[in-house]
Amino acid sequence: MASPSIPTKDGTWLTRWEPENHVFWETTGKHLAWRTLWITTYSLLLSFIVWFMVSAIVVKLPGVGFKFTSTQLFWLTAMPGLAGGTLRIIWTFLPPILGTRHLVTLSTALLLIPVLGWSYAIQNPSTPYGMLLLLAFLAGIGGGNFSGFMPSTSYFFPKRLQGTALGIQAGIGNFGVSVVQFLTPWVVGFALFASGIVNLGNPQSFTTENGLSSPIWLHNAALVWTLFILVGVVLAWALLKSVPVRANFREQFDIFRDKHTWIMTSLYIATFGSFSGFSAVFALLIRQLYGKFEGAPDPLAFAYLGPLVGSLLRVAFGPLADKVGGAKLTQLSTLGMLVSAVGLSFFVNPASLSQFPYFVGFMLMLFFFAGIGNASTFKQMPMIFDPRKAGGVIGWTSAIAAYGPFVFSVIIAAIIARAGHPTAFFYGVAAFYAINAFLNWYFYARSGAEKPC
């Protein structure tokens, strides 16, 4: 419950919230703000797990009898990104309308739809491809949640703690990508209820490319998250409140008249768009580029490392952004990603498996710098805009950047289909990083910048 000194309307909307008032913050606001952060972060972690569980499942589908082409598999990884970006546009405007309590509760409950749908559909290899595309799209609900959760959490904290709070929430939320990619190979290896008291699905036979077969409970990759989601729904409804920041859809459109909305959108596409895009395709890239060699690596044994690095850096650099400023770190991020993309271009048309360590190394380097930028941009936005607009810009930029998995998957698939390797893609993103490095330096990082932040 909220502190007795903060009355609520209808048990949900706080009648007063003044985080910039030091006395209010220390005596009343701090406890509720941090409680909101941790509960919402738990639900955001689950959201990212659901959003990226498709990328962990897809690499196993051919082994259990699904007859899909490489392009079809890339499209399955692309659909959650398409949905995530589209739904984030809607979720961007919901915090001032629904409030944190109702928004987080409802959004967390919606995660049950793709989780239960995937756990059922992948037990039958004759499930139509169109059905799996629909379920992949519904997994994007998890991606959409980000644009509702992050702005609503930002309302609770003073500006001096925005980088720390949003860095923690987004970083731990991003960690869900690594969680699902790391745990999926483990949870599909046994029955969830070995006692037989509850039958949650029979094992399938998984056949590797060299013909070896073993039992696999692939449906566990989705089903295992059901209980955690239900816990998140209960916590959100029982313990969250909503701050008195209200606005309708039309009033929130004023953010689009500010050029800095569009500059920050580009910067966040470069950082989070890269994080989410490469997270979605990392496993398939390993399979497509290096799977042809004898002794080829297991994609899921490496794919979780990139999101893990990016997530940890986002958490670590949030507090640092509060100390040194977001623009300086964003400059480091964009230049680092530029170097990483150029380096990667030399190892995406491999002649032997000996090049694989360099491919993984440069990919992790790219995730490293993307993680820094994910933290620093979320420090910049609350400094550039007032609280209500900052929330809207955070939601909007997050929405557009969430198309990363869709855009990366589709473009890479098309380039591979045409050229046999994705070298041209990495040239393109390197040029994009260079443009964003200039934009950030000119408007935010240089001496005499228009909006130093």
Side-chain angles (χ1 to χ4, degrees), residues 17 23 54 64 73 122 125 184 215 232 258 262 266 296 327 355 378 430 447:
W17 191 255
V23 174
V54 178
V64 295
L73 293 175
I122 56 180
T184 295
D258 192 322
W262 302 105
S266 182
Q355 295 175 269
F378 268 44
S447 176

Side-chain angles (χ1 to χ4, degrees), residues 339-344 347 357-367:
V339 173
S340 303
V342 172
L344 269 167
F347 302 102
Y358 299 100
F359 169 78
V360 172
F362 275 108
M363 187 67 83
L364 295 183
M365 183 175 164
L366 198 153
F367 276 105

Side-chain angles (χ1 to χ4, degrees), residues 42-51 108 111 225 228-229 232:
Y42 172 78
S43 291
L44 186 61
L45 174 69
L46 293 172
S47 297
F48 269 83
I49 286 172
V50 173
W51 193 21
T108 305
L111 298 176
W225 307 112
F228 295 98
I229 292 171

Side-chain angles (χ1 to χ4, degrees), residues 125-199:
S126 65
T127 299
Y129 180 68
M131 177 59 69
L132 293 183
L133 278 177
L134 174 61
L135 290 172
F137 186 89
L138 292 174
I141 292 172
N145 288 353
F146 187 91
S147 283
F149 291 9
M150 294 293 289
S152 65
T153 298
S154 73
Y155 299 155
F156 282 86
F157 286 85
K159 284 190 174 183
R160 62 185 174 84
L161 292 176
Q162 292 273 334
T164 299
L166 296 181
I168 289 172
Q169 181 166 67
I172 295 177
N174 292 168
F175 186 60
V177 183
S178 288
V179 170
V180 71
Q181 292 179 339
F182 179 76
L183 291 182
T184 295
W186 177 65
V187 299
V188 300
F190 57 88
L192 287 180
F193 285 83
S195 65
I197 296 175
V198 179
N199 182 11

Side-chain angles (χ1 to χ4, degrees), residues 348-406:
V348 293
N349 185 21
S352 71
L353 197 58
S354 64
Q355 295 175 269
F356 181 68
Y358 299 100
F359 169 78
V360 172
F362 275 108
M363 187 67 83
L364 295 183
M365 183 175 164
L366 198 153
F367 276 105
F368 179 95
F369 288 108
I372 293 174
N374 288 342
S376 60
T377 49
F378 268 44
K379 173 61 178 178
Q380 289 176 268
M381 285 180 268
M383 302 302 294
I384 295 170
F385 305 95
D386 65 53
R388 198 268 299 164
K389 286 185 177 179
V393 174
I394 288 171
W396 168 256
T397 58
S398 301
I400 301 305
Y403 283 111
F406 175 74

Side-chain angles (χ1 to χ4, degrees), residues 112-123:
L112 291 170
I113 298 174
V115 162
L116 295 176
W118 270 97
S119 65
Y120 175 77
I122 56 180
Q123 294 185 56

Side-chain angles (χ1 to χ4, degrees), residues 276-301:
S276 61
F278 283 119
S279 294
V281 302
F282 196 5
L284 267 179
L285 277 176
I286 293 173
R287 182 177 183 271
Q288 291 299 116
L289 302 179
Y290 289 90
K292 60 188 177 183
F293 300 112
E294 184 178 353
D298 178 2
L300 291 183

